Amino acid sequence: MSVACGLECVVCFGCTRWAWKRCTYIGAYDSENWPPATSDEFEPIPRVCGTILAVYETDLNNPKFAPPDAYKAKPQWVVKRVSYEETEKKSPPYLIYADREHKEIVLAIRGLNLVRDSDYKVLLDNRLGMQMFDGGFVHHGLLKAATWMLKREGETLRNLLDQLGHDYSLVFAGHSLGSGIAALMTIIVVNHLDEFGNIPRSQVRCYAVAPARCMSLNLAVKYADVINSVILQDDFLPRTPTPLEHIFGSIFCLPCLLFFTCLRDTFKQDKRKLRDPRRLYAPGRMYHIVERKFCRCGRFPPEVKTAIPVEGRFEHIVLSCNATSDHAILWIEREAKKALELMKQAGRSDTQQLEKRMSRKESLQQEHRIALEKAVTLQVPHAVDPDEEEPGVASTSGAKSGQTNWDDLVEKLFVKNSSGRLKLKKDIVVE
């Protein structure tokens, strides 16, 4: 009897401890050991958020969702705007914007529209381990949307580079569902820079705002030098390992889904998660905007932490009433702008800023190399060793004329087996 009572006490204590840790876990803990971001590296993010917001408008001259200080995007610089009717149900709406002030050509993609079946069609076109790509796994429907968009707009982007000059940068940006499409487009583009006049890899960037889990861990780390994810405090989407198609298929019972996902992942070993090549993650370098603290009321002045995590890559569900509101692009744009203003106010003299900027550029490159080495050390499937292979090296066959067949270029990352089916160049083994 005493043994049974003792076991019952142990179980009750364990369950109570687990419930306490889960209920008191806040989003700020994910990045508490990360270094702070600098104003130089974070400066484009509020601007990009504003450009994504502009996709939601039907008329930029008479905006409905404009931030308090209005859009920085100028209507006359919008090259193309594509609505739902024009996307042929292949992708969410997007716009192409030529930012002459910052010398950027921006392709911005809106997030999921809960009342549009075409967005669900893209989202539901996936199964665990369905789509192999570039030595890893990606979301099948998002890759199809990215390929379709490049087939449609690749020529437009190339013509803009020729017209405006090859000193312009290519920027792919998206929110929620659009973030996954933007990230996968970036991977395709940096592997085929010859299609864009051989511009340097450093002139291609992606900003995935409230990012979807769209690629395996080896790809998320490999392309962290060109892909940047922006997450506001407790946002549920980057933290939820449940496939996207299940999340939004259960959107009206989201609290139940998050609870059971949290319970399941508690008993799943971290090593097993890391060594599953099919498990998808939020892409690239992470920028975490933190504005709330444990047992404190209200919002604090936002601060931004950044890193390229391999372990602890937003793996814990946050049981928070802000888990869905922190996913909104309006809130992210507002808090990112506040954070940037605070960074600039805390700036030093011009000489110190110049020295800091130069050293920060070197540290960003070093952080990426360290993350790649750590992924190899932790035996992440198909992680890239920086000493053996330069990540994402583009082909150098020279610029081409005429229509580009993006389907063929994407298939170059595969080989065909004896039966003629597409297969990865590296064998994928699920451990």
Side-chain angles (χ1 to χ4, degrees):
M1 185 70 178
S2 60
V3 174
C5 290
L7 288 174
E8 184 178 349
C9 290
V10 170
V11 172
C12 290
F13 175 77
C15 291
T16 303
R17 180 177 179 273
W18 172 84
W20 171 257
K21 289 183 68 176
R22 298 311 306 161
C23 293
T24 59
Y25 190 90
I26 63 172
Y29 293 162
D30 286 317
S31 59
E32 60 182 344
N33 296 320
W34 295 4
T38 63
S39 58
D40 286 328
E41 60 182 302
F42 194 73
E43 186 272 334
I45 291 175
R47 185 174 70 247
V48 167
C49 289
T51 306
I52 296 172
L53 267 173
V55 185
Y56 291 77
E57 301 285 359
T58 55
D59 184 5
L60 278 178
N61 291 309
N62 299 289
K64 296 180 180 179
F65 311 107
D69 56 351
Y71 288 113
K72 299 245 178 120
K74 299 181 180 180
Q76 64 270 26
W77 288 354
V78 175
V79 177
K80 179 182 286 190
R81 176 189 294 275
V82 178
S83 64
Y84 271 109
E85 290 70 24
E86 298 171 286
T87 60
E88 305 171 12
K89 297 186 177 182
K90 304 289 187 181
S91 78
Y94 61 90
L95 65 78
I96 299 176
Y97 180 72
D99 189 341
R100 290 168 172 81
E101 181 180 354
H102 300 95
K103 291 195 172 182
E104 294 174 343
I105 299 170
V106 184
L107 195 158
I109 311 167
R110 68 157 287 162
L112 178 81
N113 189 332
L114 294 175
V115 299
R116 286 282 181 171
D117 60 346
S118 58
D119 283 4
Y120 284 101
K121 183 179 178 182
V122 174
L123 191 68
L124 297 173
D125 187 11
N126 189 59
R127 295 189 308 275
L128 184 64
M130 179 180 181
Q131 180 65 65
M132 298 178 292
F133 182 73
D134 193 23
F137 283 90
V138 297
H139 188 285
H140 178 70
L142 297 181
L143 180 63
K144 283 178 60 178
T147 305
W148 176 86
M149 200 172 291
L150 277 173
K151 287 165 61 178
R152 181 184 175 109
E153 304 299 348
E155 191 70 23
T156 303
L157 297 176
R158 186 161 50 210
N159 290 340
L160 282 171
L161 279 172
D162 292 338
Q163 175 187 344
L164 299 174
H166 285 215
D167 56 336
Y168 272 65
S169 297
L170 275 178
V171 177
F172 300 96
H175 169 248
S176 188
L177 178 67
S179 68
I181 299 173
L184 295 177
M185 286 179 68
T186 304
I187 292 180
I188 299 172
V189 168
V190 297
N191 279 283
H192 299 96
L193 291 174
D194 57 316
E195 296 295 330
F196 299 94
N198 283 319
I199 62 173
R201 181 188 175 100
S202 58
Q203 286 180 218
V204 179
R205 297 194 306 279
C206 171
Y207 295 98
V209 182
R213 287 185 167 230
C214 60
M215 62 183 67
S216 53
L217 184 56
N218 64 319
L219 297 180
V221 175
K222 178 180 179 180
Y223 291 99
D225 60 324
V226 290
I227 301 177
N228 305 281
S229 288
V230 183
I231 299 167
L232 178 59
Q233 185 90 16
D234 298 335
D235 188 357
F236 75 95
L237 189 59
R239 294 180 168 89
T240 309
T242 304
L244 291 177
E245 59 272 18
H246 295 164
I247 293 175
F248 289 101
S250 309
I251 192 68
F252 298 109
C253 193
L254 187 59
C256 302
L257 178 67
L258 294 180
F259 175 78
F260 286 114
T261 299
C262 174
L263 184 64
R264 183 198 65 190
D265 282 0
T266 299
F267 300 100
K268 190 172 184 179
Q269 295 180 352
D270 289 340
K271 287 186 178 179
R272 187 179 173 189
K273 296 177 187 177
L274 288 174
R275 294 181 183 177
D276 184 355
R278 303 168 303 167
R279 187 179 176 89
L280 303 184
Y281 293 82
R285 170 177 286 277
M286 320 295 281
Y287 288 93
H288 192 203
I289 305 173
V290 179
E291 58 176 4
R292 290 184 296 274
K293 299 180 181 180
F294 181 60
C295 287
R296 303 286 184 87
C297 296
R299 296 174 182 263
F300 286 76
E303 57 179 340
V304 183
K305 302 291 190 69
T306 182
I308 308 175
V310 179
E311 294 178 290
R313 197 177 180 87
F314 288 86
E315 290 299 305
H316 297 286
I317 297 295
V318 178
L319 301 177
S320 165
C321 59
N322 298 295
T324 52
S325 62
D326 283 352
H327 186 69
I329 182 68
L330 279 168
W331 273 113
I332 298 171
E333 190 272 343
R334 186 181 305 176
E335 298 305 315
K337 191 176 295 181
K338 288 181 184 177
L340 180 61
E341 290 173 357
L342 291 173
M343 290 181 198
K344 289 182 176 179
Q345 289 173 8
R348 303 174 185 174
S349 66
D350 293 341
T351 303
Q352 290 174 320
Q353 284 286 4
L354 181 60
E355 294 174 354
K356 186 177 179 181
R357 188 180 300 120
M358 294 175 65
S359 63
R360 181 57 180 160
K361 184 176 180 180
E362 295 175 358
S363 67
L364 289 174
Q365 297 171 350
Q366 185 65 20
E367 283 178 34
H368 187 216
R369 181 179 180 85
I370 291 172
L372 289 168
E373 292 172 347
K374 187 173 184 179
V376 173
T377 303
L378 293 174
Q379 299 179 351
V380 173
H382 311 300
V384 175
D385 189 334
D387 293 325
E388 294 180 1
E389 180 183 356
E390 193 67 23
V393 176
S395 55
T396 56
S397 58
K400 299 178 182 179
S401 59
Q403 188 70 26
T404 300
N405 190 327
W406 286 101
D407 289 322
D408 288 346
L409 292 181
V410 170
E411 286 184 9
K412 285 182 180 180
L413 296 171
F414 299 82
V415 294
K416 291 187 177 181
N417 57 20
S418 56
S419 63
R421 298 183 65 182
L422 290 175
K423 181 181 177 183
L424 270 180
K425 292 182 180 178
K426 298 179 179 179
D427 292 330
I428 300 292
V429 179
V430 180
E431 299 182 5

